[in-house]
Structure formats: C-alpha cells, structure tokens
Amino acid sequence: MIVHLNEELYINLVLHSLQKLPEEACGFILGGQSPEKHGILQARSFVPLRNCAKNPRIHFELDPEEMIPFLMDSINPVIGLFHTHPTAPPVPSNMDLQTLWHSIPTYWILSLQHPEQPELQLYQIKKATPTSYHKLAFVIGQ
C-alpha cells in the first residue's frame, strides 16, 4: 500500500503539531482509495482532535464524543490515525502497539525530536500475537 498526500496537508500536520508542543498532537486523516490506481490511498485532509490523555506530553487519547462523527462518515472515511512523538523517533511505541485502532488502514507518527526537521512515518499495524507493524511508502506531492 502507498499513501499519497499533498504538500499542503503535510505542512498542516507539521504546523499543528509544532503548536501543540510540548504535548502530543493527534487527529484523523481523511481520504480514500485512489480512483486511478489499486493499492493507493489518497489522504485528503487532517482533522485535529483534542488530546484528552491524563499526561498528554507522553501519551495521546482521543475523546470518543469528538471522534465518533468522523468514524461514522462514509463520504470522507478515516484512513489514518495521526499523532506526534515530541521527544522520540517516529517508531511505534509499546503503547502505540497496544492500540485498538488496528482497523484503521494507516497509523501516522510525526517525530518532533528535532523540531527543525520533523520526521513523518506511516505504518500499518496488524493485531496478532505478537502485534506487528511495518512501514508504508508515502509520497508528498502537489
């Protein structure tokens, strides 16, 4: 699977995330299958959601009431769960791997360990024993 996102979406992710420092930013990526090519997801927009975790500097938690309308929208489906690692690399943590979000096709982590050079990685998380993950290819374009 390859994910396409435009540069404006990428910039919005970074700017929003920098504004939320030192806390983890989080939200949904909306989009869908590319009409032209099989196996390609097209990310169309980012919906920032409130991080309601007790310790938002090291964890994120979405407010169920805030997120449910997006999960029920079949016209603009959720194709990705996004969050930041303010002080760590963009690799799924043990907490990330315990997520119940494995049914969402992609899992996006933006590292702000070096804020002047944010690093984005996309993953697909498979719930199994043991839980596994692998990087996804993505293209930032216009």
Short mmCIF file of all heavy atoms in Angstrom, two decimals, residues 41-68:
data_model
loop_
_atom_site.label_atom_id
_atom_site.label_comp_id
_atom_site.label_asym_id
_atom_site.label_seq_id
_atom_site.Cartn_x
_atom_site.Cartn_y
_atom_site.Cartn_z
N LEU A 41 -3.77 4.78 -1.39
CA LEU A 41 -4.70 5.60 -0.61
C LEU A 41 -4.36 7.06 -0.86
O LEU A 41 -3.19 7.44 -0.92
CB LEU A 41 -4.55 5.31 0.88
CG LEU A 41 -5.20 4.07 1.44
CD1 LEU A 41 -4.91 3.94 2.93
CD2 LEU A 41 -6.69 4.07 1.21
N GLN A 42 -5.39 7.87 -1.00
CA GLN A 42 -5.22 9.31 -1.18
C GLN A 42 -5.65 10.00 0.10
O GLN A 42 -6.82 9.93 0.48
CB GLN A 42 -6.05 9.81 -2.36
CG GLN A 42 -5.89 11.29 -2.64
CD GLN A 42 -4.49 11.64 -3.12
OE1 GLN A 42 -3.96 11.02 -4.02
NE2 GLN A 42 -3.90 12.64 -2.48
N ALA A 43 -4.70 10.61 0.81
CA ALA A 43 -5.01 11.38 2.02
C ALA A 43 -5.46 12.76 1.57
O ALA A 43 -4.76 13.43 0.83
CB ALA A 43 -3.79 11.47 2.92
N ARG A 44 -6.66 13.17 2.02
CA ARG A 44 -7.21 14.44 1.55
C ARG A 44 -7.20 15.55 2.60
O ARG A 44 -7.07 16.71 2.26
CB ARG A 44 -8.64 14.22 1.04
CG ARG A 44 -8.67 13.34 -0.18
CD ARG A 44 -10.05 13.31 -0.84
NE ARG A 44 -10.02 12.33 -1.91
CZ ARG A 44 -10.45 11.09 -1.79
NH1 ARG A 44 -10.96 10.67 -0.65
NH2 ARG A 44 -10.38 10.26 -2.80
N SER A 45 -7.38 15.18 3.86
CA SER A 45 -7.43 16.23 4.89
C SER A 45 -7.06 15.69 6.26
O SER A 45 -7.09 14.48 6.49
CB SER A 45 -8.82 16.89 4.93
OG SER A 45 -9.81 15.93 5.24
N PHE A 46 -6.74 16.62 7.15
CA PHE A 46 -6.38 16.31 8.52
C PHE A 46 -7.39 16.97 9.44
O PHE A 46 -7.71 18.15 9.28
CB PHE A 46 -4.97 16.85 8.83
CG PHE A 46 -4.61 16.85 10.28
CD1 PHE A 46 -4.60 15.67 11.01
CD2 PHE A 46 -4.26 18.02 10.93
CE1 PHE A 46 -4.26 15.66 12.36
CE2 PHE A 46 -3.91 18.03 12.27
CZ PHE A 46 -3.91 16.84 12.99
N VAL A 47 -7.91 16.18 10.38
CA VAL A 47 -8.83 16.68 11.39
C VAL A 47 -8.13 16.61 12.74
O VAL A 47 -7.96 15.52 13.29
CB VAL A 47 -10.13 15.84 11.44
CG1 VAL A 47 -11.04 16.34 12.54
CG2 VAL A 47 -10.82 15.83 10.10
N PRO A 48 -7.69 17.76 13.28
CA PRO A 48 -7.07 17.73 14.60
C PRO A 48 -8.14 17.41 15.65
O PRO A 48 -9.26 17.91 15.57
CB PRO A 48 -6.53 19.14 14.79
CG PRO A 48 -6.95 19.95 13.62
CD PRO A 48 -7.72 19.08 12.69
N LEU A 49 -7.78 16.57 16.59
CA LEU A 49 -8.68 16.23 17.69
C LEU A 49 -7.97 16.54 19.01
O LEU A 49 -6.74 16.53 19.08
CB LEU A 49 -9.06 14.75 17.64
CG LEU A 49 -9.85 14.33 16.39
CD1 LEU A 49 -10.00 12.82 16.34
CD2 LEU A 49 -11.22 15.01 16.35
N ARG A 50 -8.75 16.79 20.02
CA ARG A 50 -8.21 17.13 21.34
C ARG A 50 -7.56 15.90 21.97
O ARG A 50 -8.12 14.81 21.94
CB ARG A 50 -9.34 17.64 22.22
CG ARG A 50 -8.92 18.15 23.57
CD ARG A 50 -10.08 18.80 24.29
NE ARG A 50 -11.17 17.88 24.54
CZ ARG A 50 -11.25 17.09 25.62
NH1 ARG A 50 -10.29 17.11 26.52
NH2 ARG A 50 -12.28 16.30 25.78
N ASN A 51 -6.38 16.10 22.51
CA ASN A 51 -5.70 15.04 23.26
C ASN A 51 -6.19 15.14 24.70
O ASN A 51 -5.85 16.06 25.42
CB ASN A 51 -4.18 15.23 23.20
CG ASN A 51 -3.43 14.12 23.90
OD1 ASN A 51 -4.01 13.32 24.62
ND2 ASN A 51 -2.12 14.07 23.70
N CYS A 52 -6.99 14.16 25.11
CA CYS A 52 -7.57 14.20 26.45
C CYS A 52 -6.87 13.23 27.41
O CYS A 52 -7.42 12.87 28.45
CB CYS A 52 -9.06 13.96 26.41
SG CYS A 52 -9.57 12.36 25.77
N ALA A 53 -5.64 12.82 27.08
CA ALA A 53 -4.87 11.93 27.95
C ALA A 53 -4.53 12.64 29.26
O ALA A 53 -4.38 13.86 29.30
CB ALA A 53 -3.58 11.49 27.25
N LYS A 54 -4.40 11.86 30.32
CA LYS A 54 -4.03 12.43 31.62
C LYS A 54 -2.64 13.05 31.58
O LYS A 54 -2.37 14.02 32.26
CB LYS A 54 -4.11 11.36 32.71
CG LYS A 54 -5.53 10.99 33.03
CD LYS A 54 -5.63 10.00 34.15
CE LYS A 54 -7.11 9.72 34.37
NZ LYS A 54 -7.37 8.54 35.12
N ASN A 55 -1.74 12.46 30.79
CA ASN A 55 -0.40 13.02 30.64
C ASN A 55 -0.12 13.19 29.13
O ASN A 55 0.53 12.36 28.51
CB ASN A 55 0.65 12.12 31.28
CG ASN A 55 2.00 12.79 31.34
OD1 ASN A 55 2.22 13.83 30.72
ND2 ASN A 55 2.91 12.22 32.10
N PRO A 56 -0.64 14.28 28.54
CA PRO A 56 -0.55 14.46 27.09
C PRO A 56 0.87 14.70 26.55
O PRO A 56 1.06 14.73 25.35
CB PRO A 56 -1.45 15.66 26.81
CG PRO A 56 -1.51 16.40 28.10
CD PRO A 56 -1.35 15.38 29.19
N ARG A 57 1.84 14.84 27.43
CA ARG A 57 3.22 15.00 26.97
C ARG A 57 3.83 13.67 26.53
O ARG A 57 4.79 13.66 25.78
CB ARG A 57 4.09 15.63 28.06
CG ARG A 57 3.77 17.08 28.29
CD ARG A 57 4.64 17.65 29.38
NE ARG A 57 4.33 19.05 29.55
CZ ARG A 57 5.24 19.98 29.75
NH1 ARG A 57 6.51 19.66 29.82
NH2 ARG A 57 4.89 21.23 29.88
N ILE A 58 3.28 12.57 27.02
CA ILE A 58 3.86 11.26 26.69
C ILE A 58 2.84 10.27 26.15
O ILE A 58 3.16 9.10 25.89
CB ILE A 58 4.59 10.64 27.90
CG1 ILE A 58 3.62 10.44 29.06
CG2 ILE A 58 5.78 11.49 28.30
CD1 ILE A 58 4.18 9.58 30.17
N HIS A 59 1.60 10.70 25.98
CA HIS A 59 0.55 9.78 25.54
C HIS A 59 -0.54 10.60 24.86
O HIS A 59 -0.70 11.78 25.12
CB HIS A 59 -0.01 9.02 26.76
CG HIS A 59 -1.06 8.03 26.44
ND1 HIS A 59 -0.84 6.93 25.64
CD2 HIS A 59 -2.36 7.96 26.81
CE1 HIS A 59 -1.96 6.23 25.54
NE2 HIS A 59 -2.89 6.84 26.23
N PHE A 60 -1.29 9.93 23.99
CA PHE A 60 -2.46 10.61 23.44
C PHE A 60 -3.68 9.72 23.63
O PHE A 60 -3.60 8.50 23.66
CB PHE A 60 -2.27 10.98 21.96
CG PHE A 60 -2.47 9.83 21.00
CD1 PHE A 60 -3.69 9.66 20.35
CD2 PHE A 60 -1.45 8.94 20.75
CE1 PHE A 60 -3.87 8.60 19.48
CE2 PHE A 60 -1.63 7.89 19.87
CZ PHE A 60 -2.85 7.72 19.24
N GLU A 61 -4.80 10.39 23.78
CA GLU A 61 -6.08 9.70 23.90
C GLU A 61 -7.13 10.60 23.26
O GLU A 61 -7.18 11.80 23.53
CB GLU A 61 -6.40 9.47 25.37
CG GLU A 61 -7.59 8.59 25.60
CD GLU A 61 -7.77 8.29 27.09
OE1 GLU A 61 -6.77 8.01 27.77
OE2 GLU A 61 -8.93 8.36 27.54
N LEU A 62 -7.95 10.01 22.40
CA LEU A 62 -8.98 10.78 21.71
C LEU A 62 -10.27 10.76 22.52
O LEU A 62 -10.62 9.76 23.14
CB LEU A 62 -9.23 10.20 20.32
CG LEU A 62 -8.02 10.10 19.39
CD1 LEU A 62 -8.42 9.42 18.10
CD2 LEU A 62 -7.42 11.45 19.13
N ASP A 63 -11.00 11.86 22.45
CA ASP A 63 -12.29 11.97 23.11
C ASP A 63 -13.32 11.23 22.24
O ASP A 63 -13.56 11.62 21.10
CB ASP A 63 -12.65 13.45 23.24
CG ASP A 63 -13.99 13.69 23.90
OD1 ASP A 63 -14.75 12.73 24.13
OD2 ASP A 63 -14.29 14.87 24.18
N PRO A 64 -13.94 10.17 22.77
CA PRO A 64 -14.90 9.39 21.97
C PRO A 64 -16.03 10.24 21.39
O PRO A 64 -16.41 10.06 20.23
CB PRO A 64 -15.45 8.35 22.95
CG PRO A 64 -14.40 8.23 23.99
CD PRO A 64 -13.77 9.59 24.10
N GLU A 65 -16.54 11.18 22.16
CA GLU A 65 -17.64 12.01 21.69
C GLU A 65 -17.22 12.86 20.49
O GLU A 65 -17.99 13.09 19.57
CB GLU A 65 -18.13 12.89 22.83
CG GLU A 65 -19.45 13.54 22.55
CD GLU A 65 -19.98 14.25 23.78
OE1 GLU A 65 -20.20 13.57 24.80
OE2 GLU A 65 -20.17 15.49 23.70
N GLU A 66 -15.99 13.33 20.51
CA GLU A 66 -15.47 14.18 19.43
C GLU A 66 -15.18 13.38 18.16
O GLU A 66 -15.34 13.87 17.05
CB GLU A 66 -14.20 14.87 19.93
CG GLU A 66 -13.67 15.92 19.00
CD GLU A 66 -12.41 16.60 19.53
OE1 GLU A 66 -11.83 16.13 20.53
OE2 GLU A 66 -12.01 17.59 18.92
N MET A 67 -14.74 12.12 18.32
CA MET A 67 -14.29 11.36 17.15
C MET A 67 -15.39 10.55 16.45
O MET A 67 -15.28 10.26 15.27
CB MET A 67 -13.14 10.44 17.53
CG MET A 67 -13.54 9.30 18.39
SD MET A 67 -12.11 8.28 18.75
CE MET A 67 -12.81 7.24 20.00
N ILE A 68 -16.45 10.20 17.16
CA ILE A 68 -17.47 9.31 16.59
C ILE A 68 -18.06 9.84 15.28
O ILE A 68 -18.21 9.08 14.33
CB ILE A 68 -18.54 8.97 17.64
CG1 ILE A 68 -17.94 7.97 18.62
CG2 ILE A 68 -19.82 8.43 16.99
CD1 ILE A 68 -18.82 7.61 19.78
#
